[in-house]
Amino acid sequence: MAALDGLPPLRDVIAKHGLDAKKALGQNFLLDLNLTQKIARTAGSLDGVTVIEVGPGPGGLTRAILALGAKKVIAIERDSRCLPALQEIADHYPGRLEVIEGDALKTDFELLAPDGPVKIIANLPYNVGTQLLVNWLLPPEWPPFWQSLTLMFQREVGQRIVAREGDNHFGRLGVLAGWRTEAHMAFDVPPQAFSPPPKVTSTVVHLTPIVTPLPCEAAQLEKVTHAAFGQRRKMLRQSVKSLGGEALLNKAQIDPARRAETLSVEEFCRLANLI
Ligand code: SAM
């Protein structure tokens, strides 16, 4: 499709720079600039905002974020083949795109834009997406350095992030996201929107920090969720046995015959505070 920003269509960019998608890097590129704009718009106003993007690839989402007026984009990309394509975008938007070649899992995001405000927007590589989200949810200081996360995941992962008690998808991710953020699924993206198409539907999840989450230590919460959901079909008296079992549950005023997925985030925090 013709590009509104005057840059070449993404198909041409990919052909010109020989960016054949590599499965090992989770490369499923978005080629429709209307769709990338829809993702970027989900983050709300970008006026005066520095956006951190993980995995810009050929730059479809990067272009949308810049066209929507972000003050600056700092993009971390592992695949050096993408750098010349990204340089063309940087030349088109002088001083507004900084590309860092590197592994997002080894990046200290807090140091990238100390003057804020920062929003994170990414069509994440599926193999590292969940780990990055957990890292962004569990910094020692809260509220975090970011104002919002707008992230593409496989739909099933999105369902786990927004799930709460009573939902089959509720687990560790739902507890961590529910403890510190308001999270919702914004919209689904079908496989055919990507090149190459992945096997499953994707979804865009939007998260904003709760300013004062329930007081709780992240490490303790992780311990409780790990134990409780590690044996999710068992009663809690069995699954949290190593953390105090029935005595712990009684102290927290939680029926030991309940199962992990019936507990609210508040009850998980209560348990975490007692171990
Ligand atoms: N943002 C582009 C788009 O929407 O079309 C590409 C998205 S593609 C799903 C994921 C991108 O993340 C790829 O460009 C891949 O090279 C990059 N990537 C994979 N692992 C990475 C890592 N550990 N750190 C940074 N980038 C990574």
Side-chain angles (χ1 to χ4, degrees), residues 153-164 167-171 173-174 177 183-185 188 201-205:
F153 287 101
Q154 297 177 21
R155 187 162 204 282
E156 190 265 335
V157 177
Q159 285 170 318
R160 289 200 271 132
I161 295 166
V162 304
R164 297 296 174 264
D167 183 329
N168 282 341
H169 293 98
F170 190 42
L173 272 184
H184 75 275
M185 296 201 324
D188 287 345
T201 297
S202 301
T203 200
V204 175
V205 180

PDB file of all heavy atoms in Angstrom, residues 153-164 167-171 173-174 177 183-185 188 201-205:
ATOM      1  N   PHE A 153       0.787  -9.725  21.616  1.00  0.00           N
ATOM      2  CA  PHE A 153       1.079 -11.085  22.073  1.00  0.00           C
ATOM      3  C   PHE A 153       0.252 -12.081  21.287  1.00  0.00           C
ATOM      4  O   PHE A 153      -0.752 -11.702  20.663  1.00  0.00           O
ATOM      5  CB  PHE A 153       0.685 -11.259  23.558  1.00  0.00           C
ATOM      6  CG  PHE A 153       1.577 -10.573  24.528  1.00  0.00           C
ATOM      7  CD1 PHE A 153       1.206  -9.364  25.087  1.00  0.00           C
ATOM      8  CD2 PHE A 153       2.787 -11.138  24.901  1.00  0.00           C
ATOM      9  CE1 PHE A 153       2.024  -8.721  25.993  1.00  0.00           C
ATOM     10  CE2 PHE A 153       3.609 -10.492  25.811  1.00  0.00           C
ATOM     11  CZ  PHE A 153       3.221  -9.292  26.352  1.00  0.00           C
ATOM     12  N   GLN A 154       0.588 -13.350  21.397  1.00  0.00           N
ATOM     13  CA  GLN A 154      -0.343 -14.381  20.944  1.00  0.00           C
ATOM     14  C   GLN A 154      -1.604 -14.206  21.792  1.00  0.00           C
ATOM     15  O   GLN A 154      -1.517 -13.909  22.981  1.00  0.00           O
ATOM     16  CB  GLN A 154       0.233 -15.769  21.210  1.00  0.00           C
ATOM     17  CG  GLN A 154       1.499 -16.044  20.452  1.00  0.00           C
ATOM     18  CD  GLN A 154       2.087 -17.394  20.796  1.00  0.00           C
ATOM     19  OE1 GLN A 154       1.416 -18.273  21.275  1.00  0.00           O
ATOM     20  NE2 GLN A 154       3.356 -17.542  20.549  1.00  0.00           N
ATOM     21  N   ARG A 155      -2.779 -14.436  21.177  1.00  0.00           N
ATOM     22  CA  ARG A 155      -4.033 -14.173  21.877  1.00  0.00           C
ATOM     23  C   ARG A 155      -4.101 -14.913  23.219  1.00  0.00           C
ATOM     24  O   ARG A 155      -4.556 -14.371  24.224  1.00  0.00           O
ATOM     25  CB  ARG A 155      -5.216 -14.588  20.991  1.00  0.00           C
ATOM     26  CG  ARG A 155      -6.533 -14.199  21.570  1.00  0.00           C
ATOM     27  CD  ARG A 155      -7.654 -14.206  20.555  1.00  0.00           C
ATOM     28  NE  ARG A 155      -8.714 -13.311  20.987  1.00  0.00           N
ATOM     29  CZ  ARG A 155      -9.597 -13.632  21.917  1.00  0.00           C
ATOM     30  NH1 ARG A 155      -9.571 -14.810  22.479  1.00  0.00           N
ATOM     31  NH2 ARG A 155     -10.514 -12.766  22.305  1.00  0.00           N
ATOM     32  N   GLU A 156      -3.609 -16.132  23.227  1.00  0.00           N
ATOM     33  CA  GLU A 156      -3.688 -16.949  24.436  1.00  0.00           C
ATOM     34  C   GLU A 156      -2.865 -16.307  25.577  1.00  0.00           C
ATOM     35  O   GLU A 156      -3.272 -16.337  26.739  1.00  0.00           O
ATOM     36  CB  GLU A 156      -3.178 -18.362  24.072  1.00  0.00           C
ATOM     37  CG  GLU A 156      -3.381 -19.431  25.105  1.00  0.00           C
ATOM     38  CD  GLU A 156      -2.164 -19.604  25.978  1.00  0.00           C
ATOM     39  OE1 GLU A 156      -1.047 -19.256  25.507  1.00  0.00           O
ATOM     40  OE2 GLU A 156      -2.317 -20.078  27.117  1.00  0.00           O
ATOM     41  N   VAL A 157      -1.736 -15.695  25.232  1.00  0.00           N
ATOM     42  CA  VAL A 157      -0.931 -15.014  26.260  1.00  0.00           C
ATOM     43  C   VAL A 157      -1.670 -13.751  26.730  1.00  0.00           C
ATOM     44  O   VAL A 157      -1.719 -13.451  27.924  1.00  0.00           O
ATOM     45  CB  VAL A 157       0.482 -14.665  25.722  1.00  0.00           C
ATOM     46  CG1 VAL A 157       1.291 -13.899  26.756  1.00  0.00           C
ATOM     47  CG2 VAL A 157       1.216 -15.933  25.311  1.00  0.00           C
ATOM     48  N   GLY A 158      -2.286 -13.045  25.782  1.00  0.00           N
ATOM     49  CA  GLY A 158      -3.080 -11.865  26.151  1.00  0.00           C
ATOM     50  C   GLY A 158      -4.185 -12.239  27.122  1.00  0.00           C
ATOM     51  O   GLY A 158      -4.437 -11.540  28.109  1.00  0.00           O
ATOM     52  N   GLN A 159      -4.840 -13.376  26.857  1.00  0.00           N
ATOM     53  CA  GLN A 159      -5.925 -13.820  27.756  1.00  0.00           C
ATOM     54  C   GLN A 159      -5.380 -14.101  29.150  1.00  0.00           C
ATOM     55  O   GLN A 159      -6.025 -13.816  30.151  1.00  0.00           O
ATOM     56  CB  GLN A 159      -6.574 -15.088  27.188  1.00  0.00           C
ATOM     57  CG  GLN A 159      -7.474 -14.812  25.999  1.00  0.00           C
ATOM     58  CD  GLN A 159      -7.919 -16.091  25.311  1.00  0.00           C
ATOM     59  OE1 GLN A 159      -7.131 -17.011  25.117  1.00  0.00           O
ATOM     60  NE2 GLN A 159      -9.173 -16.154  24.929  1.00  0.00           N
ATOM     61  N   ARG A 160      -4.145 -14.645  29.211  1.00  0.00           N
ATOM     62  CA  ARG A 160      -3.574 -14.933  30.538  1.00  0.00           C
ATOM     63  C   ARG A 160      -3.231 -13.649  31.282  1.00  0.00           C
ATOM     64  O   ARG A 160      -3.329 -13.575  32.505  1.00  0.00           O
ATOM     65  CB  ARG A 160      -2.331 -15.811  30.379  1.00  0.00           C
ATOM     66  CG  ARG A 160      -2.684 -17.232  29.963  1.00  0.00           C
ATOM     67  CD  ARG A 160      -1.571 -18.187  30.279  1.00  0.00           C
ATOM     68  NE  ARG A 160      -0.619 -18.288  29.199  1.00  0.00           N
ATOM     69  CZ  ARG A 160       0.707 -18.222  29.347  1.00  0.00           C
ATOM     70  NH1 ARG A 160       1.235 -18.024  30.529  1.00  0.00           N
ATOM     71  NH2 ARG A 160       1.510 -18.334  28.322  1.00  0.00           N
ATOM     72  N   ILE A 161      -2.821 -12.619  30.533  1.00  0.00           N
ATOM     73  CA  ILE A 161      -2.445 -11.353  31.187  1.00  0.00           C
ATOM     74  C   ILE A 161      -3.664 -10.668  31.804  1.00  0.00           C
ATOM     75  O   ILE A 161      -3.601 -10.133  32.904  1.00  0.00           O
ATOM     76  CB  ILE A 161      -1.763 -10.411  30.166  1.00  0.00           C
ATOM     77  CG1 ILE A 161      -0.433 -11.005  29.702  1.00  0.00           C
ATOM     78  CG2 ILE A 161      -1.532  -9.020  30.766  1.00  0.00           C
ATOM     79  CD1 ILE A 161       0.146 -10.340  28.466  1.00  0.00           C
ATOM     80  N   VAL A 162      -4.795 -10.688  31.099  1.00  0.00           N
ATOM     81  CA  VAL A 162      -5.969  -9.958  31.603  1.00  0.00           C
ATOM     82  C   VAL A 162      -6.883 -10.828  32.474  1.00  0.00           C
ATOM     83  O   VAL A 162      -7.839 -10.324  33.062  1.00  0.00           O
ATOM     84  CB  VAL A 162      -6.798  -9.333  30.450  1.00  0.00           C
ATOM     85  CG1 VAL A 162      -5.927  -8.425  29.592  1.00  0.00           C
ATOM     86  CG2 VAL A 162      -7.457 -10.393  29.585  1.00  0.00           C
ATOM     87  N   ALA A 163      -6.575 -12.139  32.565  1.00  0.00           N
ATOM     88  CA  ALA A 163      -7.456 -13.051  33.319  1.00  0.00           C
ATOM     89  C   ALA A 163      -7.437 -12.731  34.814  1.00  0.00           C
ATOM     90  O   ALA A 163      -6.412 -12.329  35.365  1.00  0.00           O
ATOM     91  CB  ALA A 163      -7.010 -14.493  33.100  1.00  0.00           C
ATOM     92  N   ARG A 164      -8.576 -12.893  35.436  1.00  0.00           N
ATOM     93  CA  ARG A 164      -8.668 -12.740  36.896  1.00  0.00           C
ATOM     94  C   ARG A 164      -9.359 -13.980  37.463  1.00  0.00           C
ATOM     95  O   ARG A 164      -9.716 -14.890  36.732  1.00  0.00           O
ATOM     96  CB  ARG A 164      -9.449 -11.462  37.255  1.00  0.00           C
ATOM     97  CG  ARG A 164      -8.761 -10.197  36.780  1.00  0.00           C
ATOM     98  CD  ARG A 164      -7.396  -9.953  37.445  1.00  0.00           C
ATOM     99  NE  ARG A 164      -6.700  -8.808  36.857  1.00  0.00           N
ATOM    100  CZ  ARG A 164      -5.774  -8.884  35.902  1.00  0.00           C
ATOM    101  NH1 ARG A 164      -5.390 -10.060  35.422  1.00  0.00           N
ATOM    102  NH2 ARG A 164      -5.204  -7.802  35.414  1.00  0.00           N
ATOM    103  N   ASP A 167     -11.342 -17.517  36.083  1.00  0.00           N
ATOM    104  CA  ASP A 167     -11.115 -17.656  34.642  1.00  0.00           C
ATOM    105  C   ASP A 167     -10.075 -18.775  34.436  1.00  0.00           C
ATOM    106  O   ASP A 167      -9.060 -18.804  35.134  1.00  0.00           O
ATOM    107  CB  ASP A 167     -10.571 -16.295  34.150  1.00  0.00           C
ATOM    108  CG  ASP A 167     -10.351 -16.249  32.655  1.00  0.00           C
ATOM    109  OD1 ASP A 167     -10.045 -17.296  32.063  1.00  0.00           O
ATOM    110  OD2 ASP A 167     -10.472 -15.145  32.096  1.00  0.00           O
ATOM    111  N   ASN A 168     -10.339 -19.648  33.471  1.00  0.00           N
ATOM    112  CA  ASN A 168      -9.393 -20.754  33.206  1.00  0.00           C
ATOM    113  C   ASN A 168      -7.994 -20.276  32.852  1.00  0.00           C
ATOM    114  O   ASN A 168      -7.019 -20.993  33.024  1.00  0.00           O
ATOM    115  CB  ASN A 168      -9.881 -21.587  32.003  1.00  0.00           C
ATOM    116  CG  ASN A 168     -10.983 -22.504  32.418  1.00  0.00           C
ATOM    117  OD1 ASN A 168     -11.146 -22.787  33.615  1.00  0.00           O
ATOM    118  ND2 ASN A 168     -11.753 -22.981  31.449  1.00  0.00           N
ATOM    119  N   HIS A 169      -7.901 -19.062  32.307  1.00  0.00           N
ATOM    120  CA  HIS A 169      -6.591 -18.551  31.894  1.00  0.00           C
ATOM    121  C   HIS A 169      -5.833 -17.908  33.057  1.00  0.00           C
ATOM    122  O   HIS A 169      -4.699 -17.472  32.887  1.00  0.00           O
ATOM    123  CB  HIS A 169      -6.747 -17.504  30.788  1.00  0.00           C
ATOM    124  CG  HIS A 169      -7.253 -18.076  29.504  1.00  0.00           C
ATOM    125  ND1 HIS A 169      -8.578 -18.028  29.138  1.00  0.00           N
ATOM    126  CD2 HIS A 169      -6.619 -18.737  28.521  1.00  0.00           C
ATOM    127  CE1 HIS A 169      -8.722 -18.612  27.969  1.00  0.00           C
ATOM    128  NE2 HIS A 169      -7.559 -19.055  27.577  1.00  0.00           N
ATOM    129  N   PHE A 170      -6.479 -17.805  34.226  1.00  0.00           N
ATOM    130  CA  PHE A 170      -5.848 -17.104  35.351  1.00  0.00           C
ATOM    131  C   PHE A 170      -4.646 -17.895  35.864  1.00  0.00           C
ATOM    132  O   PHE A 170      -4.722 -19.099  36.093  1.00  0.00           O
ATOM    133  CB  PHE A 170      -6.867 -16.930  36.478  1.00  0.00           C
ATOM    134  CG  PHE A 170      -6.430 -16.026  37.588  1.00  0.00           C
ATOM    135  CD1 PHE A 170      -5.769 -14.829  37.344  1.00  0.00           C
ATOM    136  CD2 PHE A 170      -6.697 -16.357  38.922  1.00  0.00           C
ATOM    137  CE1 PHE A 170      -5.379 -13.986  38.378  1.00  0.00           C
ATOM    138  CE2 PHE A 170      -6.326 -15.525  39.967  1.00  0.00           C
ATOM    139  CZ  PHE A 170      -5.661 -14.341  39.688  1.00  0.00           C
ATOM    140  N   GLY A 171      -3.515 -17.206  36.022  1.00  0.00           N
ATOM    141  CA  GLY A 171      -2.304 -17.845  36.519  1.00  0.00           C
ATOM    142  C   GLY A 171      -1.315 -16.774  36.938  1.00  0.00           C
ATOM    143  O   GLY A 171      -1.706 -15.642  37.234  1.00  0.00           O
ATOM    144  N   LEU A 173       0.801 -14.879  35.357  1.00  0.00           N
ATOM    145  CA  LEU A 173       0.796 -13.600  34.624  1.00  0.00           C
ATOM    146  C   LEU A 173      -0.373 -12.717  35.037  1.00  0.00           C
ATOM    147  O   LEU A 173      -0.230 -11.497  35.173  1.00  0.00           O
ATOM    148  CB  LEU A 173       0.694 -13.859  33.115  1.00  0.00           C
ATOM    149  CG  LEU A 173       1.973 -14.060  32.339  1.00  0.00           C
ATOM    150  CD1 LEU A 173       1.653 -14.198  30.854  1.00  0.00           C
ATOM    151  CD2 LEU A 173       2.950 -12.918  32.576  1.00  0.00           C
ATOM    152  N   GLY A 174      -1.535 -13.328  35.238  1.00  0.00           N
ATOM    153  CA  GLY A 174      -2.720 -12.567  35.647  1.00  0.00           C
ATOM    154  C   GLY A 174      -2.526 -11.954  37.028  1.00  0.00           C
ATOM    155  O   GLY A 174      -2.948 -10.819  37.279  1.00  0.00           O
ATOM    156  N   ALA A 177       0.150  -9.051  36.648  1.00  0.00           N
ATOM    157  CA  ALA A 177      -0.421  -7.906  35.928  1.00  0.00           C
ATOM    158  C   ALA A 177      -1.540  -7.268  36.750  1.00  0.00           C
ATOM    159  O   ALA A 177      -1.656  -6.049  36.817  1.00  0.00           O
ATOM    160  CB  ALA A 177      -0.934  -8.339  34.565  1.00  0.00           C
ATOM    161  N   ALA A 183      -5.147  -3.850  33.067  1.00  0.00           N
ATOM    162  CA  ALA A 183      -4.758  -4.433  31.777  1.00  0.00           C
ATOM    163  C   ALA A 183      -6.008  -4.804  30.987  1.00  0.00           C
ATOM    164  O   ALA A 183      -6.961  -5.337  31.547  1.00  0.00           O
ATOM    165  CB  ALA A 183      -3.906  -5.682  32.015  1.00  0.00           C
ATOM    166  N   HIS A 184      -6.002  -4.503  29.704  1.00  0.00           N
ATOM    167  CA  HIS A 184      -7.119  -4.978  28.874  1.00  0.00           C
ATOM    168  C   HIS A 184      -6.623  -5.338  27.477  1.00  0.00           C
ATOM    169  O   HIS A 184      -5.576  -4.856  27.020  1.00  0.00           O
ATOM    170  CB  HIS A 184      -8.256  -3.966  28.820  1.00  0.00           C
ATOM    171  CG  HIS A 184      -7.975  -2.775  27.951  1.00  0.00           C
ATOM    172  ND1 HIS A 184      -7.306  -1.667  28.384  1.00  0.00           N
ATOM    173  CD2 HIS A 184      -8.269  -2.543  26.653  1.00  0.00           C
ATOM    174  CE1 HIS A 184      -7.204  -0.798  27.407  1.00  0.00           C
ATOM    175  NE2 HIS A 184      -7.770  -1.305  26.332  1.00  0.00           N
ATOM    176  N   MET A 185      -7.381  -6.226  26.820  1.00  0.00           N
ATOM    177  CA  MET A 185      -7.066  -6.584  25.440  1.00  0.00           C
ATOM    178  C   MET A 185      -7.750  -5.556  24.551  1.00  0.00           C
ATOM    179  O   MET A 185      -8.967  -5.379  24.640  1.00  0.00           O
ATOM    180  CB  MET A 185      -7.568  -7.998  25.129  1.00  0.00           C
ATOM    181  CG  MET A 185      -6.858  -9.034  25.970  1.00  0.00           C
ATOM    182  SD  MET A 185      -6.863 -10.740  25.355  1.00  0.00           S
ATOM    183  CE  MET A 185      -8.381 -10.978  24.614  1.00  0.00           C
ATOM    184  N   ASP A 188      -7.927  -7.839  18.432  1.00  0.00           N
ATOM    185  CA  ASP A 188      -7.218  -9.007  17.869  1.00  0.00           C
ATOM    186  C   ASP A 188      -6.639  -8.658  16.500  1.00  0.00           C
ATOM    187  O   ASP A 188      -7.158  -7.793  15.795  1.00  0.00           O
ATOM    188  CB  ASP A 188      -8.188 -10.179  17.694  1.00  0.00           C
ATOM    189  CG  ASP A 188      -8.565 -10.811  19.027  1.00  0.00           C
ATOM    190  OD1 ASP A 188      -7.875 -10.545  20.028  1.00  0.00           O
ATOM    191  OD2 ASP A 188      -9.552 -11.567  19.047  1.00  0.00           O
ATOM    192  N   THR A 201      -3.860 -16.469  16.218  1.00  0.00           N
ATOM    193  CA  THR A 201      -4.308 -15.069  16.268  1.00  0.00           C
ATOM    194  C   THR A 201      -3.493 -14.321  17.323  1.00  0.00           C
ATOM    195  O   THR A 201      -3.102 -14.882  18.348  1.00  0.00           O
ATOM    196  CB  THR A 201      -5.810 -15.028  16.638  1.00  0.00           C
ATOM    197  OG1 THR A 201      -6.522 -15.682  15.593  1.00  0.00           O
ATOM    198  CG2 THR A 201      -6.325 -13.616  16.796  1.00  0.00           C
ATOM    199  N   SER A 202      -3.245 -13.052  17.066  1.00  0.00           N
ATOM    200  CA  SER A 202      -2.527 -12.212  18.032  1.00  0.00           C
ATOM    201  C   SER A 202      -3.486 -11.205  18.643  1.00  0.00           C
ATOM    202  O   SER A 202      -4.613 -11.030  18.152  1.00  0.00           O
ATOM    203  CB  SER A 202      -1.396 -11.464  17.331  1.00  0.00           C
ATOM    204  OG  SER A 202      -0.508 -12.373  16.735  1.00  0.00           O
ATOM    205  N   THR A 203      -3.038 -10.542  19.671  1.00  0.00           N
ATOM    206  CA  THR A 203      -3.888  -9.541  20.310  1.00  0.00           C
ATOM    207  C   THR A 203      -3.012  -8.427  20.872  1.00  0.00           C
ATOM    208  O   THR A 203      -1.866  -8.669  21.260  1.00  0.00           O
ATOM    209  CB  THR A 203      -4.742 -10.206  21.417  1.00  0.00           C
ATOM    210  OG1 THR A 203      -5.858  -9.398  21.705  1.00  0.00           O
ATOM    211  CG2 THR A 203      -3.957 -10.443  22.685  1.00  0.00           C
ATOM    212  N   VAL A 204      -3.554  -7.219  20.881  1.00  0.00           N
ATOM    213  CA  VAL A 204      -2.824  -6.087  21.450  1.00  0.00           C
ATOM    214  C   VAL A 204      -3.329  -5.863  22.872  1.00  0.00           C
ATOM    215  O   VAL A 204      -4.533  -5.719  23.092  1.00  0.00           O
ATOM    216  CB  VAL A 204      -3.029  -4.807  20.598  1.00  0.00           C
ATOM    217  CG1 VAL A 204      -2.375  -3.606  21.262  1.00  0.00           C
ATOM    218  CG2 VAL A 204      -2.479  -5.022  19.201  1.00  0.00           C
ATOM    219  N   VAL A 205      -2.406  -5.869  23.821  1.00  0.00           N
ATOM    220  CA  VAL A 205      -2.757  -5.676  25.225  1.00  0.00           C
ATOM    221  C   VAL A 205      -2.233  -4.312  25.673  1.00  0.00           C
ATOM    222  O   VAL A 205      -1.117  -3.927  25.306  1.00  0.00           O
ATOM    223  CB  VAL A 205      -2.133  -6.794  26.103  1.00  0.00           C
ATOM    224  CG1 VAL A 205      -2.502  -6.605  27.568  1.00  0.00           C
ATOM    225  CG2 VAL A 205      -2.586  -8.154  25.619  1.00  0.00           C
TER     226      VAL A 205
END
